[in-house]
Amino acid sequence: MSTDHPDRDVNAEDQPITEISKADEPETVKPEAAKSEDGDLAVAPVAKPRRLTMLIAIAAVILLSDILTKVWAVAAVKPGQPIEIIGDVVTFTMVRNPGAAFSMATSMTWILTLVAIGVVIGVIKIGRTLRSPWWALGLGLVLGGALGNLVDRFFRSPGIMRGHVVDFVSVGWWPVFNIADSAIVCGAILLVVLTLFGFEPNGERLRDHKTDDKKLTDSKAAAEGETK
């Protein structure tokens, strides 16, 4: 009669202990590999995290700050009675602005409202695939500023899409502005700088692409020279 257990592996005694232990170890997950153009295996780059949450958070801070400061300005600053902060150079001066930032295009209120709505939609669309923190900052400033002034366009007199924006910060000869105006200008300047220096919304840099392409071309040329 055989005394072997029915579940016993009869070949286990012939296997080294190290091989049995290795068989029980969990399999290590390796990074994904992809074939390059020349057929060599290369590790695929890890994608950078998306920055939509960062963009929305920045826009929310700008929007809330703009609304609260405008509510304070309407209650505390009387028209024609500026509050001096640094002499007459920096003051709080109440201005109802029917135009764009810094009192431009005052006769195109409803058109400016439509433009602002288009800007908001465009920023949100770009933000869905955004991976650069600097682009998130710039677009967040623009989005928050656009929403801040849109609130005035919709909820202040004389009516929906024709409401006058509250401006109250006066600095020297500069036109009277608000936090939303400042955010839009600062965000736009940042986006222009990022574009000029080759920083892309996906977190990559245009110069890096050119360098990689040059290295690839040089390596291929060297390989061809060796085979000749």
Side-chain angles (χ1 to χ4, degrees), residues 34-42:
K35 283 190 176 181
S36 60
E37 295 180 357
D38 55 1
D40 296 333
L41 288 177

Side-chain angles (χ1 to χ4, degrees), residues 199-210:
F199 292 96
E200 300 180 354
N202 62 2
E204 299 178 354
R205 193 174 182 182
L206 187 60
R207 182 181 301 176
D208 296 337
H209 289 304
K210 293 181 179 179

